[in-house]
Amino acid sequence: MTFQSLDSSPVASVEVPPGAAILRRGAVAARTKFNRYGLLLAFLAFWQIGSTQGWINPTVFPPLDKILAATWEGLVGGALLDDIAISLQRSGLAFAAAVGLAIPLGLFMGQIRAVEQALDPILQFFRQTSALALYPVFILLLGLGEASKVFVIFWATLFPILLATIGGVKEVDRKLIEMAATFGASRTTIFRRVVLPASVPSIFVGLRLSATTALLLLIAAEMIGANKGLGFQVMNAQYNFQIPQMFAAILLLAALGLTANALLVTLQRRLCRWADLTH
Amino acid sequence: MNVVEDTRRGEVTVRDLSKSFALNGQRLPVLRNLQLDIRGGEALAIVGPSGCGKTTLLRILAGLDRPDTGEVLIDGHPVRGVGTERAVIFQEPRLLPWLTVLGNVSFGLTVRGLTQAEAETRARHYIRLVGLGDFEAAYPRQLSGGMAQRVGIARALTVQPEILLLDEPLGALYAMTKLTMQEELTRIWREEKVTMVLVTHDLEEAIYLSDWVLVLPKAKGALPRLIEIDLPRPRDRSESRFVAMRKRLMAEFGLH
Ligand SMILES: Nc1ncnc2c1ncn2[C@@H]1O[C@H](COP(=O)(O)OP(=O)(O)O)[C@@H](O)[C@H]1O
Ligand SMILES: [Mg+2]
């Protein structure tokens, strides 16, 4: 008899009614959910009760049901759909362009030391220069229309992806490259089969950082000289003292951010199943 | 007519080989004027104190590093870089963490142009050979150090090299696994008819596996020595001639 069978036999002999097991499993799942979202729920409950009871100023913090009603109205009535579309278009276009440029460029720069060393100081300089501070410059160059808005988001999202990609390529284990070389792998094969897959986790760090940055810059750009978009709606509703509408726009922006992150996490899980992903 | 020449593939010749490294602005000589002849199908063990240049020599044989002077000939042809007739088993397993055991073992074959399916068929054979048949689908992070090393060994064997270069491949293994793997390596060496160059710090392993032991000294002025292990195979570690040989090798290091 092996250790394993010794180990498992008592468990097998205990009769567990299936119903109880399901209940217990359900209770465990509920407890983990509660641990994770309990505080958020408490916060929302406090907001709702505090606002209706007058503990907090309901004109600044309207009850949640009013905010949800305003959101629903904006979505079903269609008033906010245009804003969502234009916001998605601006950030999506900028993000896609940044990804399309930064990943190939980063893969190239990370491979060639001389290029990377020559460009690193300027990259660090640009990265440290806030894209928002440069926004007036972009407006001067591109006007107050769509171009400058998309460009400022593009600019801000470019650097995290670029730097993460370069970092990923540079940190590829030389020993793995050497191993591939002993099998006669060419430079292109080594790139395709070792460098590229090894860089994926690092690239994702950049992508997720950039997605957050894209949203931030989107809101800022839409608050300056826009007449559409969720960022504009936050500002506009506040001017007109439509506080539930203001929170509705904020809520949608948060939802946008959460969705973008969830999409990236899903993609990352799929591509980096091999890495020990703890988050 | 020379019949022998055709079967004697995997012959390694080292001529006047020297290698030094730059260390704090000085030259650190590691290998000096080394001569070596390994006939095809023979097994050579390289032993010596840490830092005496075992890995350096192996890397030069592999074509990963170049000697300062002298040359390495494989079947009479000078080595200019890595070559398909040689395979290296490194001190660390060097597995690709994003590939499964099967993917890793197939790697060398797919690099050499086999389709994934062809490569996997052959890879499976070697995975079973190193005793990992149940772990085909496992990722490197799910393996123990010894298992990972065996994956590296299987990967090198798939390309059916004439010359197998091994750098302390069993150094990190658990004692029992190590003995099994030594037996496996002997079997593979005999069946695949490869030339084997094995760096090891384990004198018993050197005697058990090889026809010749190259003792590399670390002290300046001391010369490398080549000792023939003229024992019948399969070898028995407790047999008197084996024990005597171990004593003799230990004496090379001033041990008794
Ligand atoms: N790339 C290198 N640059 C500088 N010194 C090196 C390099 N590789 C090895 N050495 C030196 O050469 C000597 C022999 O190293 P090595 O061949 O790795 O020894 P070992 O016999 O332990 O395998 C050591 O003193 C080591 O520090
Ligand atoms: Mg070494």
Side-chain angles (χ1 to χ4, degrees):
Chain A
M1 192 183 246
T2 64
F3 271 108
Q4 209 166 6
S5 58
L6 263 175
D7 227 27
S8 58
S9 50
V11 177
S13 67
V14 175
E15 298 260 327
V16 181
I22 290 165
L23 272 181
R24 187 155 358 105
R25 216 174 312 132
V28 169
R31 196 173 323 133
T32 23
K33 279 250 158 43
F34 183 78
N35 284 344
R36 195 166 154 73
Y37 298 108
L39 214 55
L40 177 64
L41 285 175
F43 169 73
L44 294 176
F46 173 76
W47 180 322
Q48 174 67 18
I49 297 165
S51 180
T52 45
Q53 297 295 310
W55 304 338
I56 50 175
N57 187 349
T59 44
V60 181
F61 298 105
L64 293 177
D65 60 289
K66 286 218 174 125
I67 294 171
L68 288 175
T71 313
W72 180 254
E73 207 173 298
L75 289 175
V76 176
L80 285 176
L81 289 181
D82 262 4
D83 297 293
I84 294 172
I86 193 99
S87 286
L88 276 177
Q89 191 190 316
R90 283 168 182 151
S91 50
L93 206 61
F95 189 69
V99 170
L101 181 63
I103 293 181
L105 191 63
L107 290 172
F108 173 71
M109 284 176 64
Q111 296 243 82
I112 299 166
R113 238 181 110 71
V115 177
E116 198 265 329
Q117 276 179 338
L119 285 175
D120 188 60
I122 193 167
L123 275 183
Q124 296 298 340
F125 178 72
F126 279 150
R127 187 176 69 141
Q128 295 304 329
T129 314
S130 158
L132 260 185
L134 289 174
Y135 190 33
V137 180
F138 299 149
I139 293 174
L140 272 180
L141 288 173
L142 301 167
L144 201 51
E146 287 307 298
S148 65
K149 286 184 179 47
V150 172
F151 194 79
V152 74
I153 304 170
F154 163 78
W155 183 264
T157 49
L158 185 69
F159 294 102
I161 308 175
L162 188 57
L163 289 164
T165 309
I166 292 171
V169 172
K170 272 171 59 185
E171 271 159 39
V172 176
D173 191 351
R174 309 293 314 167
K175 291 181 165 181
L176 293 182
I177 293 175
E178 199 178 71
M179 178 280 294
T182 63
F183 287 105
S186 64
R187 269 189 76 98
T188 15
T189 305
I190 289 176
F191 174 75
R192 197 167 49 80
R193 302 214 44 201
V194 181
V195 175
L196 195 58
S199 310
V200 168
S202 177
I203 292 174
F204 264 101
V205 171
L207 287 177
R208 287 172 66 181
L209 201 62
S210 273
T212 313
T213 313
L215 202 66
L216 201 72
L217 266 290
L218 169 77
I219 298 163
E222 287 182 343
M223 284 181 172
I224 303 166
N227 52 17
K228 261 200 189 110
L230 286 171
F232 164 75
Q233 286 304 344
V234 175
M235 228 35 194
N236 191 46
Q238 192 254 349
Y239 275 138
N240 298 324
F241 220 71
Q242 299 167 311
I243 305 306
Q245 281 77 1
M246 181 186 82
F247 275 108
I250 292 174
L251 189 66
L252 287 172
L253 280 168
L256 200 64
L258 286 173
T259 312
N261 193 55
L263 284 176
L264 284 173
V265 169
T266 311
L267 194 62
Q268 184 179 19
R269 287 247 161 86
R270 184 150 312 166
L271 287 177
C272 311
R273 223 184 298 247
W274 54 272
D276 210 356
L277 288 176
T278 43
H279 50 262
Chain B
M1 197 173 73
N2 197 341
V3 189
V4 177
E5 203 161 71
D6 237 52
T7 56
R8 286 286 158 85
R9 298 182 69 212
E11 193 174 79
V12 183
T13 313
V14 174
R15 285 282 161 266
D16 308 321
L17 187 125
S18 298
K19 177 79 179 174
S20 60
F21 290 106
L23 188 73
N24 306 325
Q26 289 189 319
R27 297 307 294 179
L28 171 76
V30 178
L31 300 170
R32 253 158 307 155
N33 219 11
L34 187 75
Q35 319 288 338
L36 194 63
D37 284 285
I38 311 166
R39 272 167 294 189
E42 279 185 338
L44 171 88
I46 304 172
V47 299
S50 176
C52 69
K54 303 183 293 292
T55 298
T56 304
L57 175 56
L58 202 79
R59 289 179 59 86
I60 292 173
L61 295 180
L64 289 169
D65 285 336
R66 286 176 183 284
D68 298 338
T69 61
E71 61 180 352
V72 175
L73 304 170
I74 305 265
D75 296 325
H77 304 291
V79 162
R80 306 233 182 278
V82 297
T84 50
E85 79 289 348
R86 280 160 287 158
V88 187
I89 295 168
F90 295 95
Q91 208 160 351
E92 332 78 26
R94 302 200 185 185
L95 305 182
L96 300 172
W98 53 89
L99 295 182
T100 59
V101 167
L102 185 60
N104 268 291
V105 177
S106 314
F107 181 78
L109 292 171
T110 51
V111 161
R112 295 212 179 152
L114 263 70
T115 66
Q116 194 65 37
E118 291 167 339
E120 285 182 2
T121 310
R122 214 197 288 179
R124 282 203 175 88
H125 168 76
Y126 287 98
I127 292 172
R128 274 196 300 275
L129 192 106
V130 297
L132 290 175
D134 294 336
F135 291 89
E136 256 178 29
Y139 283 92
R141 70 180 158 88
Q142 300 170 310
L143 304 176
S144 72
M147 289 158 82
Q149 192 61 352
R150 283 187 274 160
V151 175
I153 293 173
R155 179 180 58 195
L157 292 175
T158 55
V159 294
Q160 296 175 327
E162 287 169 33
I163 301 164
L164 203 51
L165 304 166
L166 308 98
D167 193 355
E168 305 194 24
L170 311 182
L173 296 193
Y174 166 67
M176 291 299 288
T177 320
K178 192 168 166 168
L179 294 182
T180 320
M181 285 307 297
Q182 285 172 359
E183 227 167 277
E184 282 302 316
L185 276 181
T186 318
R187 196 172 57 75
I188 289 160
W189 167 73
R190 205 180 46 231
E191 281 177 12
E192 311 270 323
K193 297 188 168 50
V194 286
T195 306
M196 188 159 80
V197 181
L198 167 86
V199 170
T200 177
H201 56 242
D202 181 340
L203 296 183
E204 199 173 274
E205 181 171 291
I207 301 167
Y208 185 77
L209 284 170
S210 57
D211 301 313
W212 299 90
V213 176
L214 177 69
V215 182
L216 285 181
K218 197 175 183 185
K220 274 187 189 155
L223 292 173
R225 288 172 49 78
L226 192 63
I227 295 161
E228 184 170 12
I229 310 295
D230 192 13
L231 299 178
R233 293 176 188 263
R235 290 175 180 168
D236 176 355
R237 290 180 185 79
S238 58
E239 194 226 356
S240 64
R241 279 181 295 170
F242 194 103
V243 176
M245 188 55 83
R246 192 173 57 199
K247 270 200 173 140
R248 191 178 149 205
L249 262 184
M250 280 170 75
E252 289 284 330
F253 294 94
L255 302 166
H256 304 284

